Amino acid sequence: MPASLEFKQNSHLDPQLSDPGATASSVEKLTGHWVNTNPETRGIAECVIEPDGLDLIVTVRATGVADPIAWPPTRAAVFANMEEEAGQRTSALAVNFGFGFMKSETLIRVNKGVLVIVLFNSFLDDSGRSDYVTREFFYRAD
Amino acid sequence: MHFVQLYDRVETDPATTAALDTSPLPGIWVNSNPDTNGIARMAVSASDGSLFIQAYAIGPDGLIDWGKTELAIFASTPGARMAAGFTCRYDFGFAETVLQGMLMKGLLVLSQFHRFKDDSKRADYFLREYFALEHGRF
């Protein structure tokens, strides 16, 4: 790795970041159909993560009053995950959902076979609702 | 009221809504991992009704001061008024870092998304680390 690389912390200089073999996207552990472990959730009921060329598309169905609410399929940004837990290293996804009245910055990762979705929801309307964060867990259904 | 999941359906009156209580966040947050190669500690402070974070990361010759940036604060539900997390963004020119923090039982779980904007061909990467609030009681 060239010594002239800019950095703001030592991990920016981690040689693995320049090694395609070390950071190869292990997205197969992310792709598929995932169902919320909590049947009483008031949030995301299920999601599908599927490849689209080199990208990943995330499709969510969330809980609604009568029927589930389909969120617009949204492209994910893929990040090499420098964590290794139980010998696993799987990419993490960042997804920005836009709904007009609200936006949701989303982290998706897998931890020991469980999909973890963290939503940072920001309201853009004048409803007085607090921006809020949720974390939910999903099991593989396919 | 617009909603995209049932969590969103909370009736509030904007005229009587109290401000968010951000008291759990200010202070010095220290990485639980003494061998980290990332952020060593973070100072969260309040100013003019907003919260700011100043991160100090591990560099080859000591701590690197990232400077201050404003936090976006999040509660645990749309009806809650207590801070439960935050996001913020640092733009370093050659790279952009997004931080997402969640409070869990007194611990701050910090997710970091590092995206390189230079031509170094380094992979964008994700890190998750844990921070404790220095409280000086014990």
Side-chain angles (χ1 to χ4, degrees):
Chain A
M1 177 171 292
S4 59
L5 287 177
E6 292 188 86
F7 62 94
K8 280 290 184 178
Q9 60 182 13
N10 277 350
S11 71
H12 283 163
L13 300 173
D14 189 331
Q16 293 184 89
L17 298 177
S18 299
D19 177 357
T23 59
S25 295
S26 47
V27 296
E28 68 278 357
K29 289 179 182 155
L30 285 160
T31 54
H33 177 205
W34 299 87
V35 174
N36 199 316
T37 58
N38 174 14
E40 306 300 325
T41 182
R42 296 172 57 81
I44 294 173
E46 58 184 337
C47 90
V48 173
I49 302 172
E50 53 195 344
D52 180 28
L54 295 175
D55 296 331
L56 291 176
I57 302 293
V58 179
T59 304
V60 163
R61 290 209 315 161
T63 53
V65 176
D67 299 306
I69 298 171
W71 294 8
T74 302
R75 197 168 300 276
V78 180
F79 290 78
N81 191 346
M82 304 310 285
E83 287 184 350
E84 189 168 305
E85 294 182 0
Q88 298 177 330
R89 180 175 285 181
T90 303
S91 302
L93 305 181
V95 191
N96 293 319
F97 293 101
F99 305 110
F101 77 99
M102 187 178 88
K103 63 178 181 179
S104 298
E105 284 186 63
T106 307
L107 158 65
I108 301 176
R109 64 188 179 86
V110 168
N111 186 4
K112 295 169 185 164
V114 174
L115 190 79
V116 184
I117 300 182
V118 181
L119 290 177
F120 287 84
N121 303 294
S122 302
F123 291 102
L124 307 174
D125 59 9
D126 57 359
S127 62
R129 290 174 284 186
S130 297
D131 299 339
Y132 72 104
V133 56
T134 61
R135 185 178 63 146
E136 296 191 288
F137 303 96
F138 299 79
Y139 67 90
R140 186 181 285 282
D142 54 8
Chain B
M1 174 172 286
H2 295 291
F3 66 96
V4 290
Q5 55 183 349
L6 290 178
Y7 280 135
D8 301 335
R9 294 185 78 217
V10 174
E11 292 299 334
T12 55
D13 180 356
T16 60
T17 298
L20 210 60
D21 179 352
T22 60
S23 60
L25 287 171
I28 305 295
W29 292 87
V30 179
N31 196 320
S32 64
N33 176 13
D35 298 318
T36 182
N37 279 315
I39 295 172
R41 60 188 170 93
M42 303 178 293
V44 176
S45 58
S47 178
D48 296 329
S50 298
L51 285 187
F52 295 84
I53 194 167
Q54 186 164 13
Y56 298 86
I58 300 291
D61 301 312
L63 292 180
I64 299 173
D65 182 353
W66 285 11
K68 279 188 180 179
T69 192
E70 187 170 356
L71 296 180
I73 307 298
F74 295 79
S76 58
T77 71
R81 291 290 179 258
M82 181 67 75
F86 66 79
T87 63
C88 70
R89 193 175 305 271
Y90 279 99
D91 190 341
F92 302 121
F94 75 96
E96 180 183 70
T97 296
V98 172
L99 303 181
Q100 296 179 341
M102 274 189 85
L103 292 173
M104 293 182 189
K105 298 176 181 174
L107 204 63
L108 177 63
V109 182
L110 188 73
S111 298
Q112 308 171 36
F113 297 88
H114 298 273
R115 186 173 66 84
F116 292 101
K117 300 191 292 181
D118 59 9
D119 59 359
S120 63
K121 295 186 168 50
R122 286 174 282 185
D124 300 337
Y125 71 103
F126 167 84
L127 274 179
R128 190 173 54 121
E129 295 189 291
Y130 304 95
F131 292 77
L133 184 64
E134 281 188 347
H135 52 67
R137 287 188 62 186
F138 307 123

